[in-house]
Amino acid sequence: MAIERAIAVPTHGRYIVEEAIGGGPWRLLIGFHGYAEAAEAQLERLQCIRVADSWLRVSVQGLHRFYRGRTTDVVASWMTKQDRTLAIDDNVSYVEAVIEEIARAGEVASVAFAGFSQGVAMAFRAAVRSKRPVAGVIALGGDVPPELDLRALANVNRALIGRGSGDQWYGPQTLASDVERLRSARVRVEVEEFEGGHEWTEQFSRATERFLEAER
């Protein structure tokens, strides 16, 4: 008879941070890419958002790396259904470690978590367990994780939820359900719907700018 077990091991994660101007205090805009993407993809999206110098852009790459198809392009995902609960804990601890490493270089005043597609769930999970003030969650094309109850979601405070009209991965019913859950948790929710598919658009970047500016 075989027994399946899990063991905790140290591993290395990869993130990209813009060169900081000054020594803080900073507000972090920390991003989480979608499935089969790398940290560079989400950083490019964050760089489309025109924000003040006090915001420091950071893009975190998922721990589960693999090659895209038969190419040599290294991409990543956040998790699979296998050992799901353990993977969630690993990912949240990983993000906390990234934030704390940045904080050693300068004060971190608050953190905004921005996710695209599969990265949306990661953004919410990191936000609800954040040890630092949460400036909000920016979510495009992905749903709120099902395991987060109303008490946990209340830690988010503010959320911007985006969806393209032709997005077949994140449908209108899921959007409506997510908005209802968040508002039931007394989260201040803004919704940005646009003409497009499963993509980060210029319109959504402008909506994100307004959302972040209002946080001030």
Side-chain angles (χ1 to χ4, degrees):
M1 184 176 67
I3 301 174
E4 180 179 343
R5 294 176 175 169
I7 185 170
V9 297
T11 188
H12 287 79
R14 176 177 182 266
Y15 71 96
I16 306 173
V17 57
E18 287 187 325
E19 184 176 357
I21 299 176
W26 298 310
R27 294 177 291 169
L28 296 189
L29 176 56
I30 187 165
F32 307 93
H33 60 78
Y35 177 79
E37 293 185 334
E40 287 84 354
Q42 189 67 4
L43 183 63
E44 288 180 7
R45 297 179 183 116
L46 299 184
Q47 289 174 331
C48 291
I49 303 166
R50 298 188 292 262
V51 292
D53 290 341
S54 58
W55 285 99
L56 185 62
R57 298 176 182 88
V58 183
S59 184
V60 183
Q61 184 163 300
L63 293 173
H64 307 279
R65 300 180 227 193
F66 56 95
Y67 289 112
R68 181 189 283 118
R70 294 184 178 276
T71 73
T72 58
D73 296 336
V74 178
V75 292
S77 72
W78 290 101
M79 59 184 296
T80 65
K81 65 181 180 181
Q82 191 174 70
D83 292 329
R84 181 177 180 275
T85 301
L86 295 176
I88 290 172
D89 289 340
D90 288 345
N91 285 334
V92 172
S93 296
Y94 167 37
V95 175
E96 289 176 350
V98 169
I99 294 172
E100 292 308 307
E101 182 169 89
I102 293 169
R104 284 194 285 273
E107 180 187 349
V108 173
S110 62
V111 186
F113 299 84
F116 171 69
S117 194
Q118 190 189 46
V120 166
M122 191 62 241
F124 275 103
R125 289 172 178 138
V128 302
R129 290 166 59 174
S130 175
K131 298 176 181 177
R132 298 182 179 273
V134 177
V137 170
I138 299 152
L140 176 58
D143 52 334
V144 178
E147 78 275 3
L148 299 182
D149 59 20
L150 297 184
R151 183 175 179 180
L153 289 173
N155 295 325
V156 171
N157 300 317
R158 305 171 61 237
L160 171 64
I161 310 295
R163 179 183 178 272
S165 58
D167 192 341
Q168 298 181 351
W169 293 99
Y170 185 61
Q173 294 82 9
T174 307
L175 169 64
S177 175
D178 283 347
V179 170
E180 182 180 1
R181 281 179 64 200
L182 290 167
R183 287 179 174 160
S184 295
R186 306 202 172 192
V187 176
R188 289 173 288 158
V189 182
E190 298 178 29
V191 177
E192 183 70 22
E193 295 188 80
F194 54 86
E195 292 295 323
H198 194 67
E199 58 186 324
W200 189 293
T201 65
E202 181 179 353
Q203 180 178 332
F204 190 72
S205 292
R206 302 292 82 79
T208 301
E209 292 166 6
R210 295 190 295 270
F211 178 80
L212 293 175
E213 183 64 25
E215 189 270 338
R216 297 182 64 183

